[in-house]
Amino acid sequence: MKLLISLLLSFVVLLTTFAPPVGANGDITSPLPIKSTGSISERPLTMNDDILPGETSSRTYTYTVSHDESASKSKFLSLDWSHSELLIPPSALTIEIDGEPIQSVALSKNTAEDHLTMPLRDEHLTKGTHEITVRFTGILRGRMCDTGNTSGSWLTVRSSSFISIDNKTNLSLNEYSSSFTQTFNEKLTIVLPDRPDSDSYEAALLLYRQLKNDASDSDNVFIEYEQQLKSLNGKYIFVGETDSFTGPVATLINNLDINLEDGDMLLERANLVDKGNSVDALFVLTNNSDSFEGKLNHLLLERHRQQLDGEKLILSSTPASQTTKMSFHSVRSARRI
């Protein structure tokens, strides 16, 4: 009977812990000016120029949409290229999305340095990963009947090419760490109190190393102290004891309306808002910094990150290492109604 009661209680905890918050309002007025709206996400197709050689070649790129979206003028593909000046008709560039040809451009000497902007349709903006394929056919004068490759036929997709998609913030912990590591155009800053103790500093450093490794552009991942914040620009993770912040971050923490017991660790997503602009933030807080021990694995280890959900969670014990189900017992639900 005791075993049955224990199993039933565990099932109730599992349901309440990972239920999404009801009526949650993730907006917090920031005491600092915000310099970026965070409304548009421009994602480069490639970090380096990609050369498509020969008379026929192609290159495929991917992009991910977090939530189903509708087509609008702010959602498009911008493709920059250069190609050999020796090309003649019927040389062509064709763009496919998810295997469907969308647009073709005739190539000639006049298009040797050029670009196009192609609107995305609703089917290109559904949740999930999509593929963009750039196909190149290059014909040189005198080689119409020659199928052999030549160094004179080539097209380069420039690193300035990008895809623009509205960046709607989900405010769900299940977006960690992907929502913080798309750092092509936004910096990610981990913020510590001005005088952190060793446990808080170690926790921030562990997160910094993990996120820098996961980031699409590791040069955009930083770690700073609270006193260095003069404005907000990009994405932020605040790490430390709740009462160790004394500047603008302390104001943000007070607005969270949290109630932690000793041994608890808080994970909470929020939008920091100033004059209509916003930035995405995650608070990783404890009353006592030794509470980071073990519980930080919910952010560091992929198998634990996959269990996160909702806007706000309070963890009261370290995750179990044997089975993923056991780790549910380590989290208490926390909702903002």
Side-chain angles (χ1 to χ4, degrees):
M1 178 62 70
K2 289 184 178 179
L3 177 59
L4 178 60
I5 293 175
S6 176
L7 290 173
L8 289 174
L9 288 174
S10 299
F11 182 68
V12 171
V13 170
L14 187 150
L15 291 179
T16 59
T17 297
F18 290 93
V22 178
N25 180 4
D27 291 346
I28 301 176
T29 301
S30 171
L32 293 173
I34 295 173
K35 292 187 176 181
S36 66
T37 63
S39 60
I40 302 297
S41 175
E42 294 181 357
R43 310 175 190 179
L45 290 187
T46 175
M47 296 302 296
N48 303 297
D49 291 351
D50 287 337
I51 299 175
L52 280 63
E55 295 188 352
T56 58
S57 54
S58 65
R59 186 65 61 92
T60 297
Y61 308 93
T62 62
Y63 66 95
T64 301
V65 180
S66 299
H67 312 91
D68 289 344
E69 300 193 28
S70 300
S72 70
K73 64 180 181 180
S74 64
K75 303 164 188 176
F76 57 89
L77 168 66
S78 178
L79 187 70
D80 295 339
W81 72 79
S82 61
H83 64 67
S84 170
E85 293 187 354
L86 303 178
L87 297 183
I88 63 171
S91 298
L93 169 69
T94 297
I95 299 171
E96 299 177 358
I97 300 184
D98 296 333
E100 177 189 2
I102 305 298
Q103 188 168 342
S104 293
V105 178
L107 303 179
S108 66
K109 185 176 181 179
N110 295 331
T111 62
E113 295 278 350
D114 212 341
H115 75 279
L116 66 80
T117 299
M118 188 183 74
L120 298 176
R121 304 199 296 248
D122 288 347
E123 58 265 33
H124 307 148
L125 298 164
T126 56
K127 180 179 179 180
T129 300
H130 299 263
E131 291 186 345
I132 297 173
T133 300
V134 179
R135 297 192 181 279
F136 166 61
T137 300
I139 305 298
L140 303 182
R141 188 178 304 276
R143 299 183 63 86
M144 292 289 290
C145 299
D146 187 350
T147 59
N149 289 329
T150 173
S151 60
S153 178
W154 53 267
L155 180 141
T156 298
V157 176
R158 294 298 187 191
S159 59
S160 53
S161 303
F162 65 89
I163 186 165
S164 175
I165 302 176
D166 282 10
N167 185 20
K168 296 181 179 179
T169 303
N170 187 354
L171 287 188
S172 177
L173 292 167
N174 65 14
E175 296 288 328
Y176 186 88
S177 63
S178 60
S179 58
F180 288 89
T181 53
Q182 294 295 322
T183 56
F184 284 121
N185 298 300
E186 288 185 304
K187 69 176 186 177
L188 167 62
T189 306
I190 298 172
V191 181
L192 277 163
D194 291 335
R195 294 179 176 83
D197 61 17
S198 60
D199 288 332
S200 294
Y201 185 81
E202 181 182 3
L205 192 60
L206 287 171
L207 286 176
Y208 171 75
R209 289 172 176 169
Q210 179 251 319
L211 290 165
K212 197 172 181 69
N213 182 67
D214 291 348
S216 52
D217 186 353
S218 61
D219 291 338
N220 279 342
V221 182
F222 303 88
I223 188 166
E224 294 181 355
Y225 294 106
E226 183 181 15
Q227 63 184 354
Q228 295 176 271
L229 293 180
K230 305 303 179 185
S231 64
L232 297 177
N233 183 16
K235 300 177 182 180
Y236 289 84
I237 300 179
F238 302 98
V239 183
E241 294 180 333
T242 53
D243 59 359
S244 60
F245 292 95
T246 57
V249 179
T251 303
L252 298 174
I253 291 174
N254 289 335
N255 290 337
L256 291 178
D257 189 27
I258 61 178
N259 183 20
L260 291 178
E261 299 176 2
D262 290 345
D264 288 347
M265 185 181 81
L266 171 73
L267 302 177
E268 182 163 355
R269 293 285 303 276
N271 278 327
L272 310 183
V273 180
D274 176 71
K275 297 179 181 178
N277 297 331
S278 67
V279 299
D280 191 8
L282 170 66
F283 292 85
V284 185
L285 304 173
T286 65
N287 285 342
N288 302 295
S289 61
D290 56 4
S291 300
F292 287 123
E293 179 79 26
K295 301 183 189 68
L296 203 66
N297 285 339
H298 279 281
L299 296 179
L300 297 175
L301 302 180
E302 179 64 26
R303 65 179 181 274
H304 296 308
R305 293 203 299 258
Q306 291 174 350
Q307 301 173 56
L308 296 175
D309 199 5
E311 177 185 321
K312 176 179 179 180
L313 291 175
I314 296 176
L315 292 89
S316 58
S317 62
T318 59
S321 59
Q322 296 300 316
T323 64
T324 55
K325 287 187 177 181
M326 288 296 291
S327 63
F328 286 117
H329 298 282
S330 66
V331 187
R332 291 190 291 107
S333 64
R335 298 184 180 183
R336 185 161 53 202
I337 305 300

